[in-house]
Amino acid sequence: MSYTAPAGTCVGHVHLKVSDLDRSIAFYRDVLGFELQQKFGDSAAFLGAGGYHHHIGLNTWHSRGGPQPPARATGLYHSAFLYPDRKALGTAVRHVLEAGVRLDGAADHGVSEAVYLRDPDGNGVELYRDRPVDEWPRLPDGSLAMGSDPLDLHALIAEAG
């Protein structure tokens, strides 16, 4: 039996186990700009953009004070946050750099432009914007031809103004 998820289906939020709730709130709120929507004491918090109930859930239910997982272990590779356009992405990246956060990398994937970093618990974070569908690179058979070319961060940030 085959099933295809309907168009419009998307990832609604990511919920992360963190070791220090206040430190993680500060990162997602003060560095990435998400708004704190609700906090449950010192054990959980929910942050969102644009008044949404939450794009990010954080909890310490089973992880308070815990270590970062080893690099070569299974688990979440990264959460990805989609920005509406190149200017918004450039503004976000500039803010991240001004906050002193080190980037892990940046890439032009043809279909999108992406910047990679880590949160205080070592969770991977991708900040990206999609190109319009009619600009996506395609092979002669119509399939996608995504890649991982260098991204000009200076040009991206300059576009932010």
Side-chain angles (χ1 to χ4, degrees):
M1 178 174 189
S2 178
Y3 171 76
T4 300
T9 302
C10 64
V11 176
H13 68 271
V14 61
H15 199 123
L16 302 171
K17 297 189 302 183
V18 299
S19 64
D20 181 319
L21 186 64
D22 289 330
R23 181 184 68 183
S24 292
I25 289 170
F27 175 81
Y28 286 98
R29 181 192 59 213
D30 302 340
V31 176
L32 297 187
F34 288 90
E35 301 162 313
L36 181 63
Q37 300 297 331
Q38 188 169 11
K39 185 176 178 190
F40 292 97
D42 64 353
S43 65
F46 298 93
L47 298 96
Y52 189 66
H53 57 79
H54 75 289
H55 290 101
I56 306 158
L58 305 169
N59 78 67
T60 58
W61 300 324
H62 305 288
S63 55
R64 183 182 319 275
Q68 291 184 10
R72 297 196 43 82
T74 59
L76 179 70
Y77 187 73
H78 67 237
S79 54
F81 299 102
L82 175 62
Y83 287 80
D85 53 43
R86 195 165 202 265
K87 181 177 181 178
L89 176 60
T91 300
V93 171
R94 182 178 64 214
H95 187 73
V96 164
L97 292 171
E98 287 171 352
V101 176
R102 186 179 68 79
L103 301 182
D104 285 348
D108 181 339
H109 296 300
V111 298
S112 64
E113 293 178 307
V115 176
Y116 303 94
L117 54 134
R118 300 211 166 267
D119 78 1
D121 286 292
N123 295 306
V125 175
E126 176 183 349
L127 309 179
Y128 77 106
R129 71 103 183 180
D130 278 335
R131 285 194 168 88
V133 175
D134 63 345
E135 294 179 16
W136 291 359
R138 297 202 178 264
L139 298 172
D141 68 0
S143 62
L144 287 176
M146 293 187 294
S148 193
D149 295 324
L151 177 64
D152 184 343
L153 280 175
H154 296 292
L156 175 66
I157 293 168
E159 186 149 333

